[in-house]
Amino acid sequence: MTAYRVATGYGLLALAKNRLALILLAVFVPLWITVAKTVATPELFPFRLRATGQVLHAGGDNITMISGSLNAVSLLVGFWMFSAARRTGDFDRRLTAAGYPRGALLAAKLTALLATAALVSAYAVAWMLLYWRPRQPGLLVLAVLAASLIYGAMGLFLSLFLPGEVEGMVAIIMTSIIDLAPQNPIAATTANSPLIAWLPSYGSLQTALQAGFTDRLTLAPLANSLAWLAALSLVALAAFLRRTRVHTAPAAGGGRAGGLLGRAAGVFGRR
């Protein structure tokens, strides 16, 4: 088994050990979407879709459900990746000090991020489809996935700078509120401000609204999402490489790395 496969296996195991995140996935996501759909008014609201310049009319319940689903997946994936990175941080440093390739660890973290974001996004969209039929379901999945990836990368980024899970959760919650609340076409009078285009979830929300209420396909807003994803990932990458830098070559590094990996299941099992 290659170093990448071993690291990926233990990375996914660490994610699966997070029972709180699994409970939030099973309960929090469908509850948030259900509340957004049933509590908000179905009255039609006019709003301008900045991505295309169109003025659309859509039910307030569907708009709120889109915004709520993006908020839910952002919080969950951000917290899940932050928690996993915090729990495995010390072990990563021990592995690299023992000679384990950092490239394999980084590739494993990216794989875990993609797997988590894809799982949560598919689950959230499946729940939305129970209540509503968007014009472009595939584009809606892409929009939700983009938000998940951004906040997952943000979780990895924050895990390298914040001391504990409470601080990380608070930071992710506050960022999500500041990000999505001003963009809601119903609740916010700032939704047409040009500054909105600089927020992390701008591309995701614009693409989701486009997918829900139009037949047009404009991927330009997702350039914003790609820029945020790249920036957060690069900073997290640089910080990870700096923290796992080995100043002196360890003796018998391969043997130490193999021994640590042999005990990894026990380490993750206790956490």
Side-chain angles (χ1 to χ4, degrees), residues 70-71 74-75 78 150-151 154-155 157-158 162 167-183 198-202 228 232:
L70 291 178
N71 195 207
S74 298
L75 292 175
I150 289 173
Y151 275 81
M154 188 180 298
F157 165 80
L158 293 174
L162 297 181
E167 293 86 347
M169 191 63 179
V170 170
I172 292 169
I173 290 173
M174 295 306 298
T175 302
S176 179
I177 293 173
I178 295 171
D179 178 15
L180 284 164
Q183 297 190 62
W198 295 93
L199 295 175
S201 294
Y202 168 79
W228 273 99
L232 291 169

Short mmCIF file of all heavy atoms in Angstrom, two decimals, residues 70-71 74-75 78 150-151 154-155 157-158 162 167-183 198-202 228 232:
data_model
loop_
_atom_site.label_atom_id
_atom_site.label_comp_id
_atom_site.label_asym_id
_atom_site.label_seq_id
_atom_site.Cartn_x
_atom_site.Cartn_y
_atom_site.Cartn_z
N LEU A 70 -26.88 26.45 1.90
CA LEU A 70 -25.49 26.86 1.78
C LEU A 70 -24.89 27.15 3.15
O LEU A 70 -23.73 26.81 3.43
CB LEU A 70 -25.37 28.10 0.88
CG LEU A 70 -25.67 27.90 -0.61
CD1 LEU A 70 -25.56 29.22 -1.35
CD2 LEU A 70 -24.74 26.86 -1.22
N ASN A 71 -25.67 27.79 4.01
CA ASN A 71 -25.21 28.07 5.36
C ASN A 71 -24.95 26.77 6.13
O ASN A 71 -23.93 26.62 6.81
CB ASN A 71 -26.26 28.91 6.09
CG ASN A 71 -25.74 29.54 7.36
OD1 ASN A 71 -26.49 29.81 8.28
ND2 ASN A 71 -24.45 29.80 7.43
N SER A 74 -21.86 24.86 4.72
CA SER A 74 -20.65 25.61 5.03
C SER A 74 -20.21 25.37 6.47
O SER A 74 -19.03 25.08 6.74
CB SER A 74 -20.88 27.10 4.80
OG SER A 74 -21.20 27.37 3.45
N LEU A 75 -21.15 25.50 7.39
CA LEU A 75 -20.84 25.29 8.80
C LEU A 75 -20.37 23.87 9.06
O LEU A 75 -19.38 23.65 9.77
CB LEU A 75 -22.06 25.60 9.66
CG LEU A 75 -22.51 27.07 9.70
CD1 LEU A 75 -23.82 27.20 10.49
CD2 LEU A 75 -21.43 27.93 10.34
N GLY A 78 -16.94 23.02 7.24
CA GLY A 78 -15.88 23.80 7.88
C GLY A 78 -15.52 23.23 9.23
O GLY A 78 -14.33 23.05 9.56
N ILE A 150 -15.01 25.59 -0.15
CA ILE A 150 -14.43 26.83 0.39
C ILE A 150 -14.35 26.76 1.91
O ILE A 150 -13.31 27.04 2.52
CB ILE A 150 -15.25 28.04 -0.06
CG1 ILE A 150 -15.05 28.30 -1.54
CG2 ILE A 150 -14.86 29.29 0.75
CD1 ILE A 150 -15.96 29.38 -2.11
N TYR A 151 -15.44 26.37 2.54
CA TYR A 151 -15.44 26.34 4.00
C TYR A 151 -14.66 25.15 4.55
O TYR A 151 -14.13 25.21 5.66
CB TYR A 151 -16.87 26.37 4.54
CG TYR A 151 -17.38 27.78 4.65
CD1 TYR A 151 -17.88 28.45 3.54
CD2 TYR A 151 -17.32 28.48 5.85
CE1 TYR A 151 -18.32 29.76 3.62
CE2 TYR A 151 -17.76 29.79 5.94
CZ TYR A 151 -18.25 30.42 4.82
OH TYR A 151 -18.68 31.74 4.91
N MET A 154 -11.32 26.49 4.51
CA MET A 154 -11.23 27.45 5.60
C MET A 154 -11.01 26.74 6.94
O MET A 154 -10.26 27.20 7.80
CB MET A 154 -12.49 28.30 5.67
CG MET A 154 -12.43 29.46 6.65
SD MET A 154 -13.96 30.43 6.67
CE MET A 154 -14.01 31.04 4.98
N GLY A 155 -11.68 25.57 7.11
CA GLY A 155 -11.48 24.79 8.32
C GLY A 155 -10.04 24.33 8.45
O GLY A 155 -9.44 24.40 9.53
N PHE A 157 -7.47 25.78 7.08
CA PHE A 157 -6.71 27.01 7.29
C PHE A 157 -6.75 27.43 8.77
O PHE A 157 -5.73 27.67 9.40
CB PHE A 157 -7.29 28.10 6.39
CG PHE A 157 -6.87 29.49 6.72
CD1 PHE A 157 -5.63 29.97 6.32
CD2 PHE A 157 -7.70 30.35 7.43
CE1 PHE A 157 -5.23 31.27 6.62
CE2 PHE A 157 -7.32 31.63 7.74
CZ PHE A 157 -6.08 32.10 7.32
N LEU A 158 -7.96 27.47 9.35
CA LEU A 158 -8.10 27.91 10.73
C LEU A 158 -7.48 26.94 11.73
O LEU A 158 -7.02 27.35 12.80
CB LEU A 158 -9.58 28.11 11.06
CG LEU A 158 -10.30 29.26 10.35
CD1 LEU A 158 -11.79 29.24 10.67
CD2 LEU A 158 -9.70 30.60 10.74
N LEU A 162 -5.75 28.47 15.18
CA LEU A 162 -6.59 28.59 16.37
C LEU A 162 -6.31 27.42 17.32
O LEU A 162 -6.07 26.31 16.89
CB LEU A 162 -8.07 28.61 15.98
CG LEU A 162 -8.50 29.80 15.12
CD1 LEU A 162 -9.99 29.73 14.82
CD2 LEU A 162 -8.17 31.12 15.81
N GLU A 167 -12.95 27.68 19.54
CA GLU A 167 -12.54 28.87 18.81
C GLU A 167 -12.78 28.70 17.30
O GLU A 167 -13.23 29.63 16.62
CB GLU A 167 -11.06 29.17 19.06
CG GLU A 167 -10.72 29.58 20.47
CD GLU A 167 -10.46 28.40 21.39
OE1 GLU A 167 -10.79 27.24 21.01
OE2 GLU A 167 -9.93 28.61 22.49
N GLY A 168 -12.48 27.51 16.80
CA GLY A 168 -12.69 27.26 15.38
C GLY A 168 -14.16 27.31 14.99
O GLY A 168 -14.52 27.90 13.97
N MET A 169 -15.01 26.71 15.82
CA MET A 169 -16.44 26.70 15.52
C MET A 169 -17.01 28.11 15.54
O MET A 169 -17.79 28.49 14.66
CB MET A 169 -17.18 25.82 16.53
CG MET A 169 -18.61 25.53 16.15
SD MET A 169 -18.72 24.60 14.59
CE MET A 169 -20.48 24.40 14.43
N VAL A 170 -16.61 28.91 16.53
CA VAL A 170 -17.10 30.28 16.61
C VAL A 170 -16.64 31.08 15.39
O VAL A 170 -17.42 31.84 14.79
CB VAL A 170 -16.62 30.96 17.90
CG1 VAL A 170 -16.92 32.46 17.89
CG2 VAL A 170 -17.28 30.31 19.12
N ALA A 171 -15.38 30.91 15.00
CA ALA A 171 -14.86 31.64 13.84
C ALA A 171 -15.61 31.26 12.57
O ALA A 171 -15.95 32.12 11.74
CB ALA A 171 -13.36 31.36 13.68
N ILE A 172 -15.89 29.97 12.38
CA ILE A 172 -16.60 29.52 11.18
C ILE A 172 -18.04 30.03 11.18
O ILE A 172 -18.56 30.47 10.15
CB ILE A 172 -16.56 27.98 11.10
CG1 ILE A 172 -15.13 27.52 10.83
CG2 ILE A 172 -17.48 27.48 9.99
CD1 ILE A 172 -14.92 26.03 10.98
N ILE A 173 -18.71 29.98 12.34
CA ILE A 173 -20.09 30.47 12.43
C ILE A 173 -20.16 31.95 12.11
O ILE A 173 -21.01 32.40 11.31
CB ILE A 173 -20.67 30.19 13.83
CG1 ILE A 173 -20.90 28.70 14.03
CG2 ILE A 173 -21.99 30.94 14.02
CD1 ILE A 173 -21.32 28.32 15.43
N MET A 174 -19.28 32.75 12.71
CA MET A 174 -19.32 34.20 12.49
C MET A 174 -18.98 34.54 11.04
O MET A 174 -19.59 35.43 10.45
CB MET A 174 -18.35 34.90 13.45
CG MET A 174 -18.72 34.77 14.92
SD MET A 174 -20.40 35.31 15.27
CE MET A 174 -20.32 37.04 14.79
N THR A 175 -18.02 33.82 10.47
CA THR A 175 -17.67 34.07 9.07
C THR A 175 -18.85 33.76 8.16
O THR A 175 -19.15 34.51 7.22
CB THR A 175 -16.47 33.21 8.66
OG1 THR A 175 -15.36 33.51 9.51
CG2 THR A 175 -16.08 33.48 7.21
N SER A 176 -19.54 32.65 8.43
CA SER A 176 -20.69 32.28 7.60
C SER A 176 -21.81 33.30 7.69
O SER A 176 -22.45 33.62 6.68
CB SER A 176 -21.19 30.89 8.02
OG SER A 176 -22.30 30.50 7.26
N ILE A 177 -22.05 33.82 8.89
CA ILE A 177 -23.08 34.84 9.06
C ILE A 177 -22.73 36.10 8.29
O ILE A 177 -23.55 36.66 7.55
CB ILE A 177 -23.29 35.15 10.56
CG1 ILE A 177 -23.90 33.94 11.28
CG2 ILE A 177 -24.20 36.38 10.73
CD1 ILE A 177 -23.98 34.10 12.78
N ILE A 178 -21.50 36.56 8.46
CA ILE A 178 -21.05 37.77 7.76
C ILE A 178 -21.07 37.57 6.25
O ILE A 178 -21.34 38.49 5.48
CB ILE A 178 -19.64 38.16 8.23
CG1 ILE A 178 -19.67 38.56 9.72
CG2 ILE A 178 -19.07 39.30 7.40
CD1 ILE A 178 -18.30 38.75 10.32
N ASP A 179 -20.83 36.34 5.83
CA ASP A 179 -20.75 36.02 4.41
C ASP A 179 -22.14 35.96 3.77
O ASP A 179 -22.42 36.63 2.76
CB ASP A 179 -20.03 34.68 4.26
CG ASP A 179 -19.93 34.21 2.82
OD1 ASP A 179 -20.16 35.03 1.90
OD2 ASP A 179 -19.60 33.03 2.61
N LEU A 180 -23.05 35.16 4.33
CA LEU A 180 -24.31 34.87 3.66
C LEU A 180 -25.45 35.83 3.99
O LEU A 180 -26.32 36.07 3.14
CB LEU A 180 -24.74 33.43 3.97
CG LEU A 180 -23.95 32.36 3.20
CD1 LEU A 180 -24.13 31.00 3.83
CD2 LEU A 180 -24.38 32.34 1.74
N ALA A 181 -25.48 36.35 5.20
CA ALA A 181 -26.61 37.21 5.59
C ALA A 181 -26.77 38.43 4.67
O ALA A 181 -27.89 38.74 4.25
CB ALA A 181 -26.47 37.64 7.04
N PRO A 182 -25.70 39.15 4.33
CA PRO A 182 -25.88 40.32 3.45
C PRO A 182 -26.25 39.97 2.02
O PRO A 182 -26.64 40.86 1.25
CB PRO A 182 -24.49 41.00 3.48
CG PRO A 182 -23.79 40.42 4.65
CD PRO A 182 -24.31 39.03 4.79
N GLN A 183 -26.12 38.70 1.63
CA GLN A 183 -26.40 38.32 0.25
C GLN A 183 -27.84 37.86 0.02
O GLN A 183 -28.25 37.72 -1.14
CB GLN A 183 -25.47 37.16 -0.15
CG GLN A 183 -24.00 37.51 -0.15
CD GLN A 183 -23.18 36.41 -0.79
OE1 GLN A 183 -23.35 36.10 -1.98
NE2 GLN A 183 -22.29 35.81 -0.03
N TRP A 198 -17.24 40.23 -3.35
CA TRP A 198 -15.99 39.85 -2.72
C TRP A 198 -16.16 38.81 -1.63
O TRP A 198 -15.16 38.33 -1.07
CB TRP A 198 -15.29 41.09 -2.15
CG TRP A 198 -14.87 42.07 -3.19
CD1 TRP A 198 -15.57 43.14 -3.66
CD2 TRP A 198 -13.65 42.07 -3.93
NE1 TRP A 198 -14.87 43.80 -4.64
CE2 TRP A 198 -13.68 43.17 -4.82
CE3 TRP A 198 -12.52 41.25 -3.92
CZ2 TRP A 198 -12.63 43.46 -5.68
CZ3 TRP A 198 -11.47 41.53 -4.78
CH2 TRP A 198 -11.54 42.63 -5.65
N LEU A 199 -17.38 38.46 -1.29
CA LEU A 199 -17.62 37.52 -0.20
C LEU A 199 -17.40 36.07 -0.66
O LEU A 199 -17.58 35.75 -1.83
CB LEU A 199 -19.05 37.68 0.32
CG LEU A 199 -19.35 39.04 0.98
CD1 LEU A 199 -20.82 39.15 1.34
CD2 LEU A 199 -18.47 39.23 2.22
N PRO A 200 -16.99 35.19 0.26
CA PRO A 200 -16.63 33.82 -0.14
C PRO A 200 -17.74 33.04 -0.84
O PRO A 200 -17.47 32.28 -1.78
CB PRO A 200 -16.27 33.15 1.20
CG PRO A 200 -15.87 34.28 2.09
CD PRO A 200 -16.71 35.45 1.68
N SER A 201 -18.99 33.20 -0.39
CA SER A 201 -20.08 32.39 -0.95
C SER A 201 -20.83 33.10 -2.07
O SER A 201 -21.88 32.62 -2.51
CB SER A 201 -21.07 32.00 0.16
OG SER A 201 -20.47 31.13 1.07
N TYR A 202 -20.30 34.23 -2.55
CA TYR A 202 -20.98 34.96 -3.62
C TYR A 202 -21.20 34.07 -4.85
O TYR A 202 -22.31 33.98 -5.39
CB TYR A 202 -20.18 36.19 -4.01
CG TYR A 202 -20.66 36.85 -5.29
CD1 TYR A 202 -21.78 37.66 -5.29
CD2 TYR A 202 -19.99 36.63 -6.50
CE1 TYR A 202 -22.24 38.25 -6.47
CE2 TYR A 202 -20.44 37.22 -7.68
CZ TYR A 202 -21.56 38.03 -7.66
OH TYR A 202 -22.00 38.60 -8.81
N TRP A 228 -11.28 32.12 -3.88
CA TRP A 228 -11.27 31.91 -2.43
C TRP A 228 -10.69 30.54 -2.08
O TRP A 228 -9.89 30.42 -1.13
CB TRP A 228 -12.68 32.04 -1.87
CG TRP A 228 -13.06 33.45 -1.53
CD1 TRP A 228 -13.79 34.32 -2.29
CD2 TRP A 228 -12.72 34.16 -0.33
NE1 TRP A 228 -13.93 35.52 -1.64
CE2 TRP A 228 -13.28 35.45 -0.44
CE3 TRP A 228 -12.00 33.83 0.80
CZ2 TRP A 228 -13.15 36.41 0.56
CZ3 TRP A 228 -11.86 34.78 1.81
CH2 TRP A 228 -12.42 36.05 1.68
N LEU A 232 -7.26 30.21 0.22
CA LEU A 232 -7.27 29.52 1.51
C LEU A 232 -6.41 28.26 1.48
O LEU A 232 -5.69 27.97 2.44
CB LEU A 232 -8.71 29.15 1.89
CG LEU A 232 -9.63 30.32 2.24
CD1 LEU A 232 -11.07 29.85 2.34
CD2 LEU A 232 -9.20 30.97 3.56
#
